[in-house]
Amino acid sequence: VHFFKQEMAAATDYEGKIYLEEKGKPSAVLILHEKGAAMKNVLYGKCVRCGRTYEATPDLTTCECGGILDITYDYDYIRTQLTKEKLAARTDRSMWRYRELLPIEETTENTPLRVGNSPLYEEPRLAEMLGLKRLYVKDDGQNPTASLKDRASAMAVAKAREAGAKIIACSSTGNAASSLAGNAAAAGLRTFIFVPERAPKGKVAQLMTFGANVISVQGDYEETFELSKKAIEKYGWYNRNAAINPYLSEGKKTVSLEIMEQLGWQVPDYIAISVGDGCTIAGLWKGLKDLYAIGFIDRLPRLISAQAEGCHPINRAIAENRPWQPMEENTLADSIAVGVPRNADKALMAIRECHGLFVNVSDEQIMAAQKLLGRTCGVFGEPAGVTGTAALKKACEQGLIPHDATVVSVVTGNGLKDVANAIKSAGEPINIKPDLDLMVEEFAKRGVTVE
């Protein structure tokens, strides 16, 4: 800067750049980046409540009014940088293949674990059973720690690196916790994880294996969240809580970017997804709107917001057309048992903007969907992960979806996350002594056919 000041007559600011002038004509341009300002594709973070804007720094959190922020992009710039042809030529098969649509700095490296690129299966048998023209199942349980939330945690790790943080923390009912612990461990970062004591043992085992500092809270998710919030403020850890950190839903939105690319940019009529705190459905919708804004798709689908009957504050707010109110957390689908949804504003906006369906399902219907997916598709989802499919089945039975519709159902977590409930649903195996006659007798009792 001092060198240019010696050589140039003046410096003027124009459209965020510093033009260094000589004899009244621009002869050089110097773009100065402060920490977190090196994202040419991002304009700012904007509060979904009051509209106030904030510079998109790596440690961005919530608005002063308490509203969560939405990352706003420069779509004109992105259109000059990304084309379908350029994307198709890329060899990177992780979520980072969509860098132009993500809020990361150009120099930020991909996170170590391969997150994203989960399979999208066409399922004609299940489609026929449900009376649909075409059905696809997106198995996001095949991410590194076995849930869609790896996408958010990978983004958290990337932004923590940009912020120079060494420790990341969050509260979780299970999946966000294990995904953060795994992705952070691979990147050499420490984690402090707060979970309600009801969290399934399989998910807690993941946390401990990944070396997380786990605090099991004797209370519900709301109490767990509040404790994590206080601890993060006290120690200055990087905040991975999805309702605080606006970058998390930007990571989750990559599931919709993948779906559209895997479908050859042909938009389905509906996408079904389970809903807890609201971050996932908000991210899904954001990704679709991003693709529409840059011209990659020519229309937007309707979303199916799937919640458990025992805990459905977001769907209830839609049904009754009023602000959401807390509910008890009374469902075995622990990952979506969120009675006080911290990202409700974005979720409600998404459902209303797309004129989406909102469907509540019982625990029995959720477990039936787990077996249905396993026996017709070979996809093993945890209860929260298959709630979208359970809601889709119920919507089809109620005649809410046309028979000529194309639908995508997203399975958000693997069934090995919660083996205890899977066994309750599927039943115990045949247990006999090594005697062929006993086996034949047991086949007859159970109505097992052998041909």
Side-chain angles (χ1 to χ4, degrees), residues 37-291:
M39 296 188 291
K40 296 178 182 178
N41 59 334
V42 174
L43 296 175
Y44 43 73
K46 184 176 181 180
C47 179
V48 299
R49 289 185 187 174
C50 72
R52 181 171 178 175
T53 60
Y54 293 81
E55 182 184 357
T57 56
D59 54 359
L60 196 62
T61 55
T62 54
C63 178
E64 292 181 1
C65 77
I68 194 166
L69 305 183
D70 192 35
I71 302 302
T72 303
Y73 291 88
D74 184 344
Y75 294 121
D76 290 336
Y77 172 77
I78 293 172
R79 280 192 289 267
T80 69
Q81 301 298 308
L82 184 65
T83 64
K84 293 179 182 178
E85 293 73 24
K86 184 176 181 180
L87 186 60
R90 288 183 177 163
T91 57
D92 182 353
R93 295 299 173 185
S94 73
M95 62 178 269
W96 301 115
R97 68 189 274 105
Y98 307 106
R99 292 181 72 97
E100 290 87 350
L101 288 167
L102 296 176
I104 53 173
E105 299 174 11
E106 292 182 358
T107 57
T108 299
E109 297 180 354
N110 290 5
T111 49
L113 298 182
R114 189 277 307 151
V115 177
N117 193 38
S118 61
L120 181 73
Y121 301 119
E122 184 171 2
E123 301 293 353
R125 284 196 301 149
L126 185 54
E128 183 178 1
M129 290 176 62
L130 299 181
L132 295 172
K133 175 183 177 182
R134 187 166 286 119
L135 172 64
Y136 296 88
V137 172
K138 176 75 165 169
D139 185 7
D140 234 45
Q142 293 198 33
N143 277 306
T145 74
S147 83
L148 184 150
K149 292 183 179 180
D150 277 325
R151 299 175 185 272
S153 292
M155 180 62 70
V157 168
K159 299 308 290 186
R161 282 174 162 177
E162 291 178 5
K166 302 298 182 184
I167 297 176
I168 313 179
C170 78
S171 64
S172 167
T173 54
N175 280 334
S178 56
S179 71
L180 174 60
N183 281 273
L189 301 177
R190 295 178 64 206
T191 53
F192 283 80
I193 310 293
F194 298 76
V195 298
E197 62 180 344
R198 63 173 165 79
K201 293 185 181 299
K203 296 178 182 180
V204 176
Q206 274 189 304
L207 295 174
M208 302 302 293
T209 301
F210 293 142
N213 297 284
V214 182
I215 299 92
S216 179
V217 180
Q218 297 173 15
D220 59 19
Y221 177 72
E222 172 63 11
E223 293 168 312
T224 304
F225 179 90
E226 287 300 325
L227 180 59
S228 75
K229 181 180 178 182
K230 292 175 182 177
I232 290 168
E233 291 174 352
K234 178 177 176 63
Y235 296 109
W237 299 326
Y238 190 81
N239 195 331
R240 185 251 180 256
N241 284 322
I244 300 294
N245 189 328
Y247 297 116
L248 276 293
S249 60
E250 297 298 314
K252 288 188 174 185
K253 80 180 184 186
T254 58
V255 70
S256 58
L257 306 184
E258 281 182 16
I259 289 170
M260 290 301 99
E261 186 178 13
Q262 289 169 324
L263 290 177
W265 312 110
Q266 299 301 305
V267 181
D269 300 298
Y270 297 87
I271 301 179
I273 191 128
S274 56
V275 176
D277 69 358
C279 185
T280 301
I281 195 169
L284 177 72
W285 183 240
K286 177 67 178 297
L288 294 165
K289 290 202 300 181
D290 285 348
L291 293 176

Side-chain angles (χ1 to χ4, degrees), residues 29-44:
V29 60
L30 182 64
I31 304 175
L32 300 179
H33 291 303
E34 297 179 357
K35 184 175 76 169
M39 296 188 291
K40 296 178 182 178
N41 59 334
V42 174
L43 296 175
Y44 43 73

Side-chain angles (χ1 to χ4, degrees), residues 375-426:
R375 296 175 184 186
T376 61
C377 308
V379 172
F380 186 22
E382 66 169 322
V386 305
T387 301
T389 303
L392 171 61
K393 182 176 184 293
K394 183 175 180 178
C396 289
E397 291 169 348
Q398 293 180 342
L400 300 177
I401 300 178
H403 294 302
D404 61 351
T406 295
V407 182
V408 174
S409 185
V410 182
V411 176
T412 58
N414 190 276
L416 292 175
K417 294 272 191 174
D418 189 355
V419 174
N421 275 313
I423 292 174
K424 289 179 182 177
S425 171

